[in-house]
Amino acid sequence: MRIKNLPALVTGSLIAFMLVSCSKGGSSGGGTTPPPPASTPKSLKVTLDKSQIFSDNWETATVTVTDENNNDVTSSSSLYLGSVAMSGNTFFTNAPGTYQIKATRSGVTSPEVALTVKDAGPSPFSQKIIVEDYTGTWCGHCPRVGIKLDDYVVNGHPNCLVISNHGPNNDPYTFSNHAALANVFNSQGLYPTVYIDRDFKWAENNSQLDLQFTSRRPPLGLALQSTINGNTINLTTKVKFDVTTAVNLRLIVYLLQDGEVYPQVNYGYYNLPNPIPGYVHNGILRRTATDLFGDDIPTANQAKGTTYEKTFAIDATGFNVNNCRIIAFVVQGTNNQGRKEKVVINAQTVKAGLNKDFD
């Protein structure tokens, strides 16, 4: 309680495809002469850019279809994974095995081509989750989730990383960009609202948090190295990849503050008074070192075994730097092969002035 002194196995394959579409027009050539009908291929050939990928849900195989004249007819062909129609020509999965891929066009079917998916094995990194609590010292319902989240973290879940995004209503801890985040992730303006990994709203059910740890294989990990120089926190952020991916990924770095004591309005939760005089506010979002929604990680650095580094100088003026903490996380960007934009992949946190290695 914040009072001062007081992967389940996923059934089947998770398969995603990049949708490819194309439209073609033609000229009548003058008069009323109709355009010639599309030629019927005599044969089709399926090729893959890789004959083998890992079941890490990130590495992809791209399918190309050509006709007997070696013309690329992928966009006008229908692709099948066994007997299941594909919605595009890019394939990734978390299920090892051998997959048979074929194409059809104008009644002609290609021979099947085999794709081997090898077991990726366990990730070398532990899964962290980002929990963003839209809260306020003025909000009498906010202790209901704030205390519950605090208890969850303390009772065996240190990899649950909580960010308290305060605002508005003259809250002393209001984050300067609170509205910008709230408009994207908290459009209804209801307090408290909690988002899990920027993916879905928390229904205040701990099993939802548990599932975030067990249902995913972390494709990357983060390490943080920090020093303090006056009011400046110098930070080196490292992102190490256990997969190779061309998905647009973004790095986000925030400055948090812990241990701030301020009365918290409370509407009868946990049999505590209103207001709660000794309420300790932790994980207060104070600054951003990157763009609010992340800086792009160069695709060339997103290769298995590669480590991407970026340094920051974070101004902590006005805050007790000894109570400050850095949190860094990687999210999915726009070019994401059908994945949901802005969703958190993995994260790391460290107290200002200390280091945290990959784990």
Side-chain angles (χ1 to χ4, degrees):
M1 185 180 299
R2 296 191 279 187
I3 310 298
K4 190 177 181 182
N5 300 324
L6 278 173
L9 178 64
V10 178
T11 302
S13 304
L14 295 180
I15 301 172
F17 306 97
M18 184 180 296
L19 182 63
V20 177
S21 61
C22 181
S23 61
K24 295 182 179 179
S27 172
S28 66
T32 59
T33 304
S39 60
T40 300
K42 296 178 181 178
S43 65
L44 294 175
K45 180 182 178 181
V46 168
T47 54
L48 305 175
D49 66 336
K50 301 170 187 173
S51 61
Q52 176 180 291
I53 60 174
F54 284 103
S55 62
D56 54 31
N57 223 31
W58 286 88
E59 188 177 10
T60 60
T62 300
V63 183
T64 301
V65 185
T66 53
D67 64 15
E68 69 277 3
N69 296 316
N70 205 35
N71 296 313
D72 188 334
V73 293
T74 308
S75 62
S76 58
S77 300
S78 299
L79 300 178
Y80 291 87
L81 190 72
S83 60
V84 179
M86 297 168 57
S87 60
N89 73 324
T90 303
F91 172 81
F92 56 89
T93 180
N94 71 339
T98 300
Y99 296 82
Q100 302 293 332
I101 299 174
K102 64 184 178 183
T104 64
R105 182 174 182 267
S106 301
V108 176
T109 300
S110 73
E112 291 186 330
V113 173
L115 174 66
T116 301
V117 180
K118 293 188 66 176
D119 188 349
S123 172
F125 309 113
S126 62
Q127 183 70 65
K128 287 84 175 176
I129 66 173
I130 293 290
V131 178
E132 291 174 284
D133 181 11
Y134 289 82
T135 187
T137 60
W138 51 269
C139 169
H141 293 295
C142 288
R144 184 184 72 238
V145 300
I147 293 174
K148 186 171 185 177
L149 285 172
D150 202 40
D151 288 345
Y152 182 81
V153 173
V154 170
N155 292 309
H157 302 93
N159 285 340
C160 177
L161 310 180
V162 180
I163 299 173
S164 296
N165 190 338
H166 282 253
N169 294 352
N170 298 316
D171 190 299
Y173 306 125
T174 294
F175 176 52
S176 59
N177 284 311
H178 175 85
L181 286 172
N183 286 339
V184 173
F185 299 109
N186 188 28
S187 58
Q188 293 179 330
L190 299 176
Y191 295 81
T193 293
V194 178
Y195 270 86
I196 308 300
D197 283 328
R198 296 194 167 179
D199 189 13
F200 59 91
K201 288 183 180 181
W202 186 42
E204 301 180 34
N205 185 338
N206 285 355
S207 64
Q208 291 178 297
L209 304 174
D210 296 338
L211 187 60
Q212 289 298 98
F213 289 113
T214 60
S215 63
R216 298 180 292 173
R217 180 188 185 277
L220 55 84
L222 294 92
L224 304 174
Q225 298 174 341
S226 67
T227 60
I228 299 173
N229 183 11
N231 291 320
T232 300
I233 301 170
N234 297 301
L235 176 73
T236 298
T237 301
K238 299 180 180 181
V239 182
K240 188 172 183 178
F241 289 84
D242 188 52
V243 300
T244 298
T245 180
V247 171
N248 173 224
L249 301 179
R250 292 175 178 169
L251 172 66
I252 297 176
V253 176
Y254 290 163
L255 176 67
L256 308 183
Q257 188 175 15
D258 297 322
E260 287 291 297
V261 179
Y262 190 86
Q264 172 66 52
V265 175
N266 178 47
Y267 294 159
Y269 295 103
Y270 299 99
N271 294 317
L272 294 171
N274 182 25
I276 305 171
Y279 199 92
V280 181
H281 299 270
N282 292 317
I284 304 167
L285 180 54
R286 290 301 205 176
R287 296 244 198 276
T288 60
T290 57
D291 179 88
L292 188 63
F293 297 101
D295 295 346
D296 288 338
I297 299 175
T299 303
N301 293 95
Q302 297 177 177
K304 187 179 178 71
T306 298
T307 300
Y308 170 71
E309 294 189 16
K310 191 167 185 177
T311 59
F312 303 91
I314 305 172
D315 181 13
T317 301
F319 310 132
N320 182 352
V321 71
N322 294 318
N323 286 342
C324 284
R325 180 162 48 94
I326 308 298
I327 191 164
F329 51 106
V330 175
V331 300
Q332 294 166 180
T334 52
N335 177 23
N336 49 36
Q337 298 175 343
R339 295 170 171 87
K340 186 177 178 180
E341 187 179 351
K342 299 183 178 68
V343 170
V344 176
I345 299 170
N346 211 352
Q348 188 64 279
T349 190
V350 69
K351 182 177 173 63
L354 300 180
N355 301 328
K356 181 68 174 178
D357 203 355
F358 299 107
D359 62 357

